Amino acid sequence: MTDDWQNDRAEPLAVGPPRQRMTRRERARQERNRRRRRTTLVVALSALVVVVIGAVFLGSKMWHSLFGGSGDDYAGQGVNDVVIQVHDGDSTTAIGQTLRDSNVVANVKTFVAAADGNSAISAIQPGFYKVRTEIPAVNAVERLADPANRVGLLVIPEGRQLDDVQDVRTRAVTDGILSMISKATCVDLDGARRCVDTDDLRQTAGAASPSELAVPQWATEAVDAMGSDHRRLEGLIAPGTWNIDPSAQPQEILSTLISTSAAQYEDGGLLSTAAALNMSPYEILTVASLVQREAKPQDFSKVARVIYNRLAERRTLEFDSTVNYPLDRVEVATTDGDRGQMTPWNTYVRPGLPATPICSPGQPALVAAEQPAVGDWLYFVTIDMQGTTLFTREYEQHLANIELARQNGVLDSAR
């Protein structure tokens, strides 16, 4: 029997255009494209995995740092001493972040919780504080609250000059501003005491350019005129309370103090007052330094008037304070030999004002220099140990007042 059903079967129909045979080169190119796509996909997936892992890691680290979690506090006595800075207006959280950034505490939340209710932390003053790395948050709070751990604190009294001075009678030495700065920078870190040396500060004061020291424009000419004498910066660092970074270099310390002092002087109206008096701001500052050294606060404005009156009549000022200044001493009366020395400050032999201020005047002395009392006085002398000072225009009366001072043991000679 024949397979007639096979002969009756429908033949398959071709659909679409007929296949084209690929050359060997085309097949190789196609294979390369497939491999390239696979490689690109693998690289993309690998990069995505790395990004996801990194995000999870960093997010976890930030979360535990800020909000706690396992390992949210250190234990023990710490590793190394470190100095951190508390800025003006810092919240407890901001302080905690500074501590965390310096590896002092493990995370911010734990520190904030430890500091909660601590009045010393809520009232903490801006400045620099010595703590230790990797200490418990409670320990960090205790250290910041302890005044003994505050470093870099500088308090400059009114009337101080750059160099140390000695009282001729008592031999007592009073620290100058440069010595005070040096002592303020001293800090013990891991048993080693570090300080910015006074001589380094003095050398920088004389060698650095006015611009490097942030000397204000209104003082630059006078500072330049003094050459490399470090006393060219006298009076440009205002009295008051300062915070000094113990790790800063001498130039940075001086420039910060000078620039901030200049802004303080200018905010007090120094520039406008100088213009009104037809004087330079530097001259007003110099007058204020003389007032500071020559008088008691109750007589500041009168002494300022004496200075202006003598300048107006082209008389030498003849102040013993200007004789003593370069000698780094304190003495009520001076000798004929002292008064005859030719120095840039000696107003017995130098007409007009001394070359620089002779100290850092306080605000009351500056106000007196800017707003002198009304009067025609040319002379003044302190006549007793209580500080009573007599003012007059007449030289004969001044001689009589000097005699009173002698009788009271205030001085042996006077101007």
Side-chain angles (χ1 to χ4, degrees), residues 13-27:
L13 299 176
V15 179
R19 292 184 181 180
Q20 296 182 355
R21 294 176 62 84
M22 297 179 62
T23 66
R24 183 178 301 173
R25 179 178 299 176
E26 289 173 335
R27 284 196 300 273

Side-chain angles (χ1 to χ4, degrees), residues 216-220 234-238 258-289 308 353 357 361-363 365-371:
Q217 183 275 331
W218 45 264
T220 299
E234 195 69 79
L236 297 180
I237 298 176
I258 291 171
S259 62
T260 309
S261 296
Q264 180 177 305
Y265 288 144
E266 292 167 13
D267 289 345
L270 179 62
L271 303 186
S272 57
T273 301
L277 294 176
N278 196 29
M279 299 177 70
S280 73
Y282 192 77
E283 289 173 328
I284 298 293
L285 187 63
T286 302
V287 170
S289 75
Y308 291 129
L353 294 170
Q363 190 61 28
L366 272 168
V367 170
E370 295 168 350
Q371 303 173 22

Side-chain angles (χ1 to χ4, degrees), residues 39-204:
T39 302
T40 302
L41 179 60
V42 170
V43 170
L45 289 174
S46 299
L48 179 60
V49 170
V50 170
V51 170
V52 171
I53 292 174
V56 171
F57 174 77
L58 292 176
S60 175
K61 186 175 182 180
M62 291 180 64
W63 176 269
H64 288 299
S65 171
L66 292 172
F67 304 109
S70 59
D72 60 357
D73 204 3
Y74 290 121
Q77 299 302 309
V79 179
N80 300 112
D81 289 332
V82 65
V83 174
I84 63 100
Q85 182 177 9
V86 174
H87 298 88
D88 189 19
D90 273 358
S91 63
T92 304
T93 300
I95 296 172
Q97 187 61 57
T98 297
L99 295 171
R100 177 66 188 87
D101 293 343
S102 298
N103 200 32
V104 174
V105 298
N107 70 73
V108 177
K109 184 179 179 181
T110 305
F111 171 78
V112 172
D116 185 38
N118 189 303
S119 59
I121 297 299
S122 61
I124 193 169
Q125 295 298 304
F128 296 89
Y129 295 82
K130 186 179 79 168
V131 289
R132 287 182 66 78
T133 58
E134 299 186 21
I135 56 176
V138 171
N139 192 338
V141 171
E142 292 172 349
R143 288 174 181 269
L144 290 177
D146 185 353
N149 287 321
R150 185 173 181 181
V151 296
L153 181 62
L154 170 66
V155 180
I156 302 177
E158 299 175 350
R160 290 294 174 95
Q161 65 185 63
L162 291 174
D163 294 325
D164 301 348
V165 297
Q166 184 179 57
D167 188 297
V168 173
R169 294 185 178 181
T170 66
R171 301 296 180 184
V173 175
T174 300
D175 284 342
I177 293 175
L178 297 180
S179 291
M180 297 177 71
I181 293 173
S182 175
K183 290 180 179 180
T185 64
C186 291
V187 58
D188 293 317
L189 298 178
D190 299 317
R193 188 165 181 79
R194 307 174 186 177
C195 307
V196 174
D197 191 74
T198 303
D199 288 337
D200 290 340
L201 289 164
R202 186 176 292 108
Q203 192 275 335
T204 301

Side-chain angles (χ1 to χ4, degrees), residues 395-409:
Y395 185 63
E396 291 74 13
Q397 182 60 53
H398 180 55
L399 293 177
N401 294 340
I402 287 176
E403 185 57 34
L404 281 176
R406 287 184 179 136
Q407 292 174 9
N408 291 332

